Amino acid sequence: MPVVSMRSAVCLLGRFPALAGADLDVDEGDILLLSGPNGAGKTTLLRCVAGLVPLHSGTAFVFGHDLAFDRRTARHELALVGHETFCYDDLTVRENLRFAAAAARRPNAAADAALERLDLGRVADIAHSRLSAGQRRRLSLAVALAREARLLLLDEPHAGLDPTTRETLDAILLGAASEGRTVVLASHELVYARAIATREARVVAGLVQGGLAPATTKPEPKPLEVRA
């Protein structure tokens, strides 16, 4: 079974169908790029997979869990990196990372490793409320690493990153895929995103174009019939 499988998925924002019948397959080890215009449904798709937006109709499975009935169980195995960090303002960088790791049933060592990987050691004891925008972006990525997520969902991950951090991000995502983890990223910065993506699907008006995984096997050619 794919890591993510959606068929005719509909999600509503109010009465508006932000997803209007989306079909999507994401396999283990994929780095899937979701491209498309603003308002097309990319962020809603990520939030639906993360269990943050309810499924109105259709089907959606993440790690085999049916999101129509259970939107919580799969969250321990995934991380969403979006425009907000979802961190606590009064906790330090280190405390936020250790809290995120504990919530995902991961050890403190995972949080400390993520702290160093994203070069946050110099601000480890500074409260989240005092971080710059760039530091908050790096902390969001570190939280995903601290959770040791099997599925990484990223919304505009390259936005606002300096070249060094962007290279670090790309190395992290490529390394995650090589370890068998799965990445889905929505991006407008296609030059950077396409450089690491293994597949691309375009989201337009709540529908996904090219979102189904290609067949892994090809039919055997029929033997030529030779007539005397």
Side-chain angles (χ1 to χ4, degrees):
M1 178 177 289
V3 172
V4 177
S5 180
M6 308 177 80
R7 293 293 183 274
S8 303
V10 175
C11 292
L12 302 179
L13 296 181
R15 295 185 177 181
F16 175 74
L19 287 185
D23 295 326
L24 180 68
D25 284 338
V26 189
D27 290 329
E28 185 178 88
D30 268 353
I31 301 179
L32 175 65
L33 166 62
L34 299 176
S35 60
N38 286 331
K42 300 186 299 296
T43 296
T44 299
L45 192 154
L46 293 177
R47 289 175 60 81
C48 177
V49 172
L52 300 178
V53 175
L55 191 68
H56 178 73
S57 63
T59 62
F61 293 85
V62 178
F63 295 117
H65 301 289
D66 188 344
L67 297 187
F69 300 98
D70 179 8
R71 292 190 285 137
R72 300 181 63 88
T73 303
R75 291 181 190 173
H76 293 295
E77 302 296 335
L78 61 83
L80 173 64
V81 179
H83 303 289
E84 299 181 17
T85 64
F86 300 106
C87 290
Y88 294 95
D89 272 347
D90 55 341
L91 296 184
T92 67
V93 169
R94 191 191 315 275
E95 289 168 341
N96 268 298
L97 285 172
R98 290 190 171 185
F99 181 86
R105 304 168 188 168
R106 304 298 189 258
N108 283 340
D112 295 341
L115 183 81
E116 296 305 318
R117 187 75 186 272
L118 270 300
D119 194 25
L120 291 166
R122 292 171 295 178
V123 295
D125 298 316
I126 294 179
H128 176 264
S129 60
R130 296 174 55 196
L131 298 179
S132 68
Q135 289 167 340
R136 292 188 182 198
R137 292 288 293 177
R138 282 190 281 140
L139 178 56
S140 293
L141 297 171
V143 166
L145 292 186
R147 292 174 59 85
E148 296 183 340
R150 294 168 56 199
L151 172 60
L152 297 171
L153 307 170
L154 303 105
D155 196 358
E156 300 294 343
H158 294 103
L161 297 184
D162 59 79
T164 299
T165 306
R166 189 169 61 238
E167 290 176 5
T168 299
L169 167 66
D170 290 349
I172 288 170
L173 298 184
L174 290 168
S178 70
E179 295 166 358
R181 288 186 277 175
T182 306
V183 178
V184 182
L185 65 153
S187 180
H188 287 102
E189 303 197 46
L190 300 182
V191 172
Y192 302 131
R194 283 174 175 158
I196 62 171
T198 58
R199 287 200 299 128
E200 179 175 347
R202 185 168 172 81
V203 184
V204 179
L207 298 173
V208 181
Q209 300 172 355
L212 298 183
T216 56
T217 58
K218 296 181 180 179
E220 291 293 330
K222 294 181 180 180
L224 292 175
E225 182 179 351
V226 179
R227 295 183 179 179

